[in-house]
Amino acid sequence: EPEPVYTSVKAFAPATVANLGPGFDFLGCAVDGLGDFVSLTLDPQVSPGEISISEISKLSKNPLWNCAGIAAIEVMKMLGVRSVGLSLTLEKGLPLGSGLGSSAASAAAAAVAVNEIFGGKLGIDELVIAGLKSEEKVSGYHADNIAPAIMGGFVLIRSYDPLDLIPLIFPDGKELFFVLATPEFEAPTKKMRAALPAEVGMAHHVWNSSQAGALVAAVLQGDLPGLGRALSSDKIVEPRRAPLIPGMDAVKKAAIEARAFGCTISGAGPTAVAVTDDLERGKAIGERMVAAFLKEGKLKAAASVSRLDRVGARLV
C-alpha cells in the first residue's frame, strides 16, 4: 500500500471532443481552457479506503453514483489503499450533457488526483481504465472522452479488449482552433446513442472507414483542410443525431460558409464543433454558428474558441 506524499492536491482535466465525425467511439481530442477541477484531502473522519464527496453542485454526493467518485474509488482499489480515507470536492467547469466530455473530465481529474496524492504509481492505461468504469456507469463504455481527457492531444482507441491507446501527435508550430457552439439544450448521451442504427450498410462502412483514416493522416500531417473535410463527412452517426438537435444542419452550413475547414457534432451533442487555423476567424465562425442556432433552431447558444490541449489531466 503506497504512503500518501501530499495531504491535499488539486487536479484539472480538460473538455474533450469525441468522435470527430467519422471516429465514433475510437477518436477524440482534448481542448484547452474548459474543464473540471477536483480537490482531494486526506480526511481522518472518512473511513479508511473510502471516499467522501464533501462539495459538489447539481450532482449526487454518493461516490458510487458520481463519475468523480467512481473513478476515485477505482484508483484507490488499484493502489490497494486501505488505511486512509479521502474527502473530494468537485468544481464543474463544464455543463452537463453538452457533448464536451463533462463526465469524463470529472473522472479524469479525480483519477489523476488520487494517483498523485499517493505518488503517481499508476500509468496512463490504468488511469483510463479507472475512468472507463465511471463512463460505463454514467454514459456507456467508450474511451474517446476519458482517454484524451487524461492524455491530452488526439487519441485513437485501437482496441478495448485489451485496451490499446495510440496518441496522435499534431505537429508543433501548426495553429489549430476549435470553435465550440453550445446551445441551451440537453442531449443526454444515452438518448443520443439510442438513435444510432443497429446495422450499417457496406457502402457507408467503407466511406466512414476511409474518412477516419484520412482524419488520422490529417492530424499527423497538420493538414487542417484535410482534417476539416474528414470531420464533416460522417455518414453513419451524424445523420441520425443532427435531426435531434434543433438547427444543427443550419449551424454546420453556417460554419462552412464562414470559412471553417469543417464542422460536426461534438460527442453526443448538442455542442457543434468547427475547426480553423485563425483565432479571429474562429470568433467570426462562432458568431455565425450562434446566429444559426437562434434563427433555425430557436435556441440560445454561446460560442468559445479553444486551442488543442496537449497535456491532459494534471495537478494545478
Side-chain angles (χ1 to χ4, degrees):
E1 180 180 354
E3 291 288 322
V5 297
Y6 302 107
T7 56
S8 65
V9 295
K10 186 174 185 178
F12 168 81
T16 46
V17 174
N19 302 339
L20 295 166
F24 178 72
D25 276 6
F26 65 88
L27 282 171
C29 68
V31 295
D32 190 33
L34 310 164
D36 288 359
F37 293 89
V38 165
S39 299
L40 205 63
T41 306
L42 298 178
D43 192 339
Q45 296 185 352
V46 178
S47 299
E50 293 187 7
I51 290 271
S52 169
I53 297 179
S54 57
E55 195 175 321
I56 197 170
S57 58
K58 299 182 186 176
L59 294 165
S60 171
K61 277 193 173 183
N62 182 342
L64 300 177
W65 288 102
N66 175 274
C67 39
I70 297 164
I73 289 167
E74 202 60 33
V75 172
M76 289 180 81
K77 285 181 187 172
M78 289 177 169
L79 290 169
V81 174
R82 293 182 295 273
S83 59
V84 296
L86 299 171
S87 179
L88 182 152
T89 298
L90 173 62
E91 296 172 49
K92 289 297 297 176
L94 292 172
L96 306 177
S98 59
L100 292 171
S102 177
S103 61
S106 299
V112 165
V114 175
N115 191 40
E116 292 299 325
I117 210 169
F118 292 103
K121 307 287 185 188
L122 300 182
I124 292 294
D125 283 15
E126 291 165 301
L127 293 176
V128 172
I129 288 169
L132 268 171
K133 288 282 187 184
S134 169
E135 290 284 80
E136 184 176 23
K137 192 167 263 190
V138 175
S139 62
Y141 195 81
H142 54 95
D144 47 348
N145 290 113
I146 190 68
I150 287 172
M151 299 166 66
F154 289 89
V155 181
L156 166 68
I157 298 94
R158 195 198 69 81
S159 165
Y160 280 92
D161 187 17
L163 186 67
D164 188 356
L165 306 170
I166 303 175
L168 305 174
I169 308 303
F170 187 80
D172 283 330
K174 288 268 190 177
E175 287 283 28
L176 169 58
F177 294 95
F178 298 91
V179 185
L180 303 165
T182 304
E184 293 179 358
F185 180 81
E186 199 160 318
T189 301
K190 286 181 180 176
K191 177 185 174 185
M192 300 304 275
R193 289 181 89 83
L196 301 181
E199 295 182 353
V200 174
M202 182 59 76
H204 282 175
H205 162 68
V206 172
W207 172 262
N208 262 44
S209 297
S210 67
Q211 298 310 305
L215 196 148
V216 169
V219 168
L220 296 176
Q221 294 167 357
D223 171 14
L224 257 65
L227 193 161
R229 284 195 301 274
L231 185 89
S232 301
S233 299
D234 172 30
K235 287 187 177 180
I236 297 173
V237 176
E238 187 182 310
R240 294 295 188 98
R241 286 179 166 175
L244 303 179
I245 303 168
M248 181 58 75
D249 287 338
V251 170
K252 180 173 182 174
K253 185 180 178 186
I256 302 296
E257 287 178 351
R259 295 192 297 149
F261 290 121
C263 180
T264 190
I265 301 168
S266 177
T271 295
V273 56
V275 289
T276 183
D277 59 358
D278 182 84
L279 177 60
E280 292 306 315
R281 187 183 305 147
K283 292 175 182 176
I285 292 166
E287 289 173 6
R288 294 282 293 274
M289 292 167 77
V290 166
F293 263 129
L294 188 60
K295 182 181 178 184
E296 301 296 333
K298 305 294 186 283
L299 295 175
K300 290 182 180 177
S304 61
V305 184
S306 298
R307 282 186 165 89
L308 183 70
D309 184 309
R310 296 176 183 266
V311 181
R314 65 266 194 186
L315 293 188
V316 291

